[in-house]
């Protein structure tokens, strides 16, 4: 008998992100996307609607854009919505550990932004160092 075929290589390590979206009174107006940064043609990686989303991104620089087609954001005249992006603090490999790390606060969030909000982030996410205590 011949030996079994080799196993496929494991996928590259990646870091999980979770985008929570709480829509205002008009969820049909909300969409989002994640692209590589700096943005080049054809680099839209993920997109979704007011239901939010999650996925696993390899190390790199990314841009999150949240769009409100009516131009009034997620807050305040049309209701009190928001978005929050949480990135796990440790590497995970698909399909294991599909959850944020314990005590992972959102790294990006917003609600009152007009037609769109865009912000760059890096994976793996490294929190800025804490501010030094005030000197006496």
């Amino acid at each position: 008998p011949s030996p079994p075929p080799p196993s496929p290589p494991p996928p590259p390590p990646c870091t999980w992100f979770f985008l929570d979206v709480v829509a205002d009174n008009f969820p049909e107006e909300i969409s989002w996307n994640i692209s590589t940064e700096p943005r080049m043609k054809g680099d839209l990686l993920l997109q979704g609607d007011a239901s939010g989303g999650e996925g696993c991104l390899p190390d790199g620089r990314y841009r999150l854009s949240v769009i409100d087609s009516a131009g009034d954001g997620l807050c305040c005249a049309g209701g009190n919505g928001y978005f929050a992006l949480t990135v796990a603090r440790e590497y995970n490999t698909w399909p294991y550990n599909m959850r944020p790390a314990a005590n992972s606060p959102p790294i990006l969030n917003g609600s009152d932004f007009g037609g769109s909000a865009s912000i760059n982030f890096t994976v793996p996410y490294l929190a800025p160092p804490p501010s030094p205590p005030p000197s006496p």
Side-chain angles (χ1 to χ4, degrees):
S2 58
S7 299
C14 58
T15 300
W16 278 90
F17 77 88
F18 300 84
L19 179 63
D20 294 315
V21 178
V22 173
D24 57 9
N25 297 333
F26 307 96
E28 66 279 2
E29 299 171 355
I30 308 305
S31 63
W32 60 269
N33 64 65
I34 292 179
S35 59
T36 56
E37 180 59 35
R39 189 167 176 130
M40 295 182 285
K41 186 176 180 181
D43 68 347
L44 182 64
L45 301 175
L46 301 160
Q47 56 189 350
D49 57 20
S51 61
E54 64 183 59
C56 205
L57 296 168
D59 289 0
R61 294 173 47 205
Y62 300 94
R63 182 174 190 85
L64 168 67
S65 297
V66 179
I67 300 104
D68 184 317
S69 63
D72 60 0
L74 293 170
C75 173
C76 295
N80 292 315
Y82 67 89
F83 70 90
L85 178 69
T86 303
V87 175
R89 290 188 180 180
E90 74 268 353
Y91 279 110
N92 297 289
T93 303
W94 174 267
Y96 310 129
N97 301 323
M98 295 180 0
R99 58 178 171 67
N103 302 318
S104 290
I107 61 168
L108 310 169
N109 57 51
S111 60
D112 190 8
F113 56 80
S116 68
S118 294
I119 190 154
N120 298 338
F121 66 101
T122 302
V123 170
Y125 175 69
L126 301 174
S131 300
S135 34

